Amino acid sequence: MDIVRKKGEIISIDHRSLVSYRYKRITQTINSEFWNINSDTEHSLYVGSYGRGTAINTSDIDILVELPKEEYERFDAMKGNGQSKLLQVLKNAIKKTYPQSEIHADGQVVVIDFTDGIKFEILPAFRHLDWWGIWNGSYDYPDSNMGGKWLTTDPKTEQQAMKEKNIASNGLLFDTCKHIREIRDNNFSSYHLPGIVIDSFIYHNIAGWHWLQTNENSSNLPIGTYEKKLLDSCSKYNYNLSYLSAPGSGMKVNLDNCITVLYRVLKYMSDES
């Protein structure tokens, strides 16, 4: 299937440059503190919407910073929520570089709220090794809620899966995810709808839809057919028992209180088409 209209918000060069500058400063600070090196690129990567290619100019900037394995062992052995203590240590390290910024720990991340409205969320993580000590690309990260525990993520696999399907859809995947974020931020900002829910849902429900290739003929379907197909797919998800997996990695995506909001956003998108 195909569609001919194109939407998608572009992040300005100045915005990207500022994000890159802060990303490197944060990375350099953490590398100096935990790895005793001065690199502003090693042991870190963009994750979240920035890493998956679906960010808009209002998106938070998510960074995964890899820490040495011995740090995992140290905080894991601590009594009384070592995960929370890890976040506090990371927060204090970042404070050295941004002493005037609002910085706090929040569940799994350290949040930096800059005065210009850009928010960074820093996720400390450790390579997840199997029984033979082999790393498969996934990471363990702290969750300080409910007494503390470790969770696992596989961002590179997810990013690669999103990239491949975006190419197959001639850019429609990324554009749809960005447009949904724009609707969410402009019309449903008081509701909870994480980017991973948006990206995972579109990834699994885009089917064969794509932007027209050069010299490709349109199927002449009515305008809005694509949006209505997504809305119909969303309506089939059971609010309490629904399950959604992340692209590529297959890891479970938390849908608590999200499906109803996603339906409202898709309904808005369908009505405006």
Side-chain angles (χ1 to χ4, degrees):
M1 306 300 289
D2 57 67
I3 55 180
V4 296
R5 296 173 306 118
K6 194 157 189 170
K7 296 179 179 178
E9 184 155 334
I10 298 174
I11 301 175
S12 70
I13 294 176
D14 288 344
H15 187 94
R16 289 189 181 277
S17 295
L18 180 56
V19 166
S20 176
Y21 171 74
R22 288 173 175 169
Y23 168 86
K24 290 180 178 180
R25 285 197 72 191
I26 293 167
T27 298
Q28 187 175 47
T29 295
I30 294 171
N31 275 331
S32 176
E33 183 75 18
F34 290 94
W35 293 96
N36 197 31
I37 60 175
N38 198 41
S39 172
D40 60 6
T41 57
E42 292 187 53
H43 304 299
S44 71
L45 66 150
Y46 289 111
V47 291
S49 59
Y50 241 77
R52 291 190 297 271
T54 54
I56 61 175
N57 59 6
T58 55
S59 296
D60 296 341
I61 314 302
D62 300 295
I63 302 175
L64 181 149
V65 290
E66 180 189 342
L67 304 183
K69 193 65 175 178
E70 53 265 28
E71 293 294 328
Y72 171 87
E73 296 166 353
R74 179 164 75 95
F75 286 100
D76 185 50
M78 289 183 180
K79 295 181 180 180
N81 203 330
Q83 292 81 4
S84 177
K85 294 174 182 176
L86 168 59
L87 292 178
Q88 293 302 318
V89 169
L90 184 66
K91 181 190 76 172
N92 292 335
I94 296 172
K95 268 286 188 184
K96 296 177 182 179
T97 298
Y98 291 106
Q100 304 302 319
S101 297
E102 174 63 33
I103 303 177
H104 64 277
D106 185 12
Q108 298 92 30
V109 296
V110 171
V111 180
I112 312 174
D113 285 305
F114 290 98
T115 56
D116 57 9
I118 299 177
K119 178 189 291 186
F120 276 68
E121 296 191 352
I122 318 303
L123 179 73
F126 307 88
R127 293 191 179 191
H128 180 86
L129 305 180
D130 62 20
W131 290 104
W132 296 274
I134 299 173
W135 180 49
N136 66 356
S138 63
Y139 296 88
D140 295 322
Y141 65 94
D143 180 1
S144 62
N145 297 308
M146 304 295 290
K149 58 183 177 294
W150 300 102
L151 301 175
T152 304
T153 184
D154 191 356
K156 291 183 179 180
T157 299
E158 295 169 8
Q159 292 170 9
Q160 183 62 29
M162 288 286 290
K163 179 181 179 181
E164 290 174 359
K165 184 155 290 193
N166 187 59
I167 293 173
S169 69
N170 197 25
L172 178 61
L173 175 64
F174 284 5
D175 283 344
T176 303
C177 293
K178 292 175 182 179
H179 187 48
I180 290 175
R181 282 170 168 80
E182 185 178 6
I183 294 174
R184 177 199 63 187
D185 292 352
N186 290 335
N187 302 279
F188 301 91
S189 60
S190 62
Y191 294 92
H192 179 64
L193 182 58
I196 185 60
V197 173
I198 295 171
D199 294 352
S200 299
F201 176 82
I202 300 302
Y203 175 87
H204 288 295
N205 291 282
I206 195 171
W209 291 90
H210 61 276
W211 292 127
L212 290 178
Q213 303 281 353
T214 303
N215 299 323
E216 181 181 4
N217 293 323
S218 171
S219 62
N220 295 318
L221 289 170
I223 291 175
T225 301
Y226 169 62
E227 290 84 352
K228 288 181 173 59
K229 288 288 187 181
L230 292 177
L231 182 63
D232 289 342
S233 296
C234 185
S235 67
K236 296 176 183 178
Y237 278 73
N238 182 284
Y239 179 75
N240 294 314
L241 301 177
S242 54
Y243 175 82
L244 192 63
S245 61
S249 70
M251 293 183 175
K252 185 176 181 179
V253 175
N254 186 358
L255 292 178
D256 291 348
N257 303 316
C258 292
I259 289 299
T260 299
V261 182
L262 179 61
Y263 182 86
R264 291 176 180 175
V265 172
L266 291 173
K267 180 68 165 59
Y268 186 99
M269 184 171 74
S270 179
D271 290 343
E272 71 171 7
S273 63

